[in-house]
Amino acid sequence: DTGVSQNPRHKITKRGQNVTFRCDPISEHNRLYWYRQTLGQGPEFLTYFQNEAQLEKSRLLSDRFSAERPKGSFSTLEIQRTEQGDSAMYLCASSFGGSSGNTIYFGEGSWLTVV
Amino acid sequence: SQELEQSPQSLIVQEGKNLTINCTSSKTLYGLYWYKQKYGEGLIFLMMLQKGGEEKSHEKITAKLDEKKQQSSLHITASQPSHAGIYLCGADMGSGGYQKVTFGTGTKLQVIP
């Protein structure tokens, strides 16, 4: 068990470019979450996957954002035509579903800076 | 999130002192999570509480959930510099049928040697 892995850890991109983040959850975890965190704030929910199905998307997830989890394993979060307001840390988390009492483990996060 | 309030926003304590961080929800909670975060890093799981009146301890950190399941406190005994960081409470308010966690804004803790 190597924990939730995210990469890249840091990304600096020019406004208008596309970026993609990858998350490898803990193996056997069927639930996967993406959160966004800005300085001085707590993480905000973006989207949730159960296996390969994306079951909920926050209103924060504009049309420029897309997340996938093919085969129910790793997940990607793509941001198209990045804007300065997208600068934040993107956190991935996973848990083993089946009941409500399971621990949710977070990755180290991926920092995005849009210049 | 306005649904979850954390206090205080920041705390500076002398090493060896005890401290308490509070987390209050406007709704009954299905689960309450405490995490610790170092600046620029991910969240480290501390404890999860589900039952009213539940209390859990790990090393010098104790977390409690009140009987109504709307308030939680995190207590650190004999604080050490290693306790410094941002403490986040997260609440599962039961929407969505899965563990959708809403976070507070965090409490920044500094421990002065």
Side-chain angles (χ1 to χ4, degrees):
Chain A
D1 182 350
T2 57
V4 179
S5 177
Q6 291 188 247
N7 64 80
R9 292 292 317 281
H10 301 273
K11 179 75 176 179
I12 300 174
T13 191
K14 291 183 178 178
R15 191 175 54 181
Q17 298 292 306
N18 300 343
V19 296
T20 299
F21 299 111
R22 176 179 169 126
C23 171
D24 287 273
I26 294 171
S27 59
E28 299 150 13
H29 279 191
N30 57 345
R31 292 179 173 175
L32 188 145
Y33 314 79
W34 284 99
Y35 283 79
R36 180 172 71 185
Q37 186 178 26
T38 53
L39 281 174
Q41 300 297 315
E44 296 174 294
F45 171 81
L46 290 179
T47 190
Y48 161 69
F49 287 86
Q50 178 142 331
N51 299 311
E52 67 277 6
Q54 187 175 21
L55 297 186
E56 185 169 349
K57 291 170 61 173
S58 162
R59 284 171 291 179
L60 292 174
L61 220 61
S62 75
D63 291 344
R64 297 184 296 105
F65 288 71
S66 62
E68 295 183 342
R69 192 183 182 196
K71 303 179 183 177
S73 55
F74 72 91
S75 176
T76 57
L77 177 68
E78 182 184 17
I79 309 173
Q80 295 183 326
R81 304 181 302 283
T82 51
E83 301 173 355
Q84 287 189 321
D86 297 332
S87 296
M89 181 161 68
Y90 291 86
L91 289 157
C92 178
S94 71
S95 68
F96 180 71
S99 70
S100 62
N102 297 304
T103 302
I104 301 173
Y105 295 94
F106 280 79
E108 288 294 312
S110 292
W111 275 105
L112 173 65
T113 301
V114 181
V115 297
Chain B
S1 164
Q2 292 179 340
E3 294 179 303
L4 201 63
E5 302 233 346
Q6 231 179 293
S7 63
Q9 287 188 324
S10 64
L11 201 50
I12 302 174
V13 299
Q14 195 123 32
E15 183 177 358
K17 296 295 185 184
N18 302 338
L19 64 106
T20 300
I21 298 168
N22 295 299
C23 181
T24 303
S25 170
S26 56
K27 300 179 181 179
T28 300
L29 305 174
Y30 284 73
L32 191 288
Y33 302 79
W34 284 100
Y35 289 89
K36 180 185 175 185
Q37 185 177 34
K38 294 278 192 182
Y39 177 75
E41 299 180 7
L43 279 61
I44 300 168
F45 173 77
L46 295 175
M47 274 171 276
M48 177 177 66
L49 305 164
Q50 283 189 286
K51 299 175 185 175
E54 188 175 10
E55 179 175 320
K56 288 186 177 178
S57 293
H58 177 67
E59 298 180 344
K60 294 185 178 180
I61 301 176
T62 300
K64 300 178 185 179
L65 183 62
D66 75 332
E67 290 288 345
K68 289 186 178 179
K69 296 171 62 176
Q70 287 187 283
Q71 287 190 317
S72 179
S73 61
L74 185 84
H75 185 78
I76 299 177
T77 304
S79 58
Q80 300 169 352
S82 61
H83 287 129
I86 300 168
Y87 289 82
L88 290 156
C89 70
D92 176 3
M93 298 182 188
S95 59
Y98 61 94
Q99 292 161 288
K100 182 178 178 181
V101 178
T102 300
F103 284 93
T105 53
T107 295
K108 183 178 178 182
L109 172 64
Q110 292 177 256
V111 180
I112 302 171

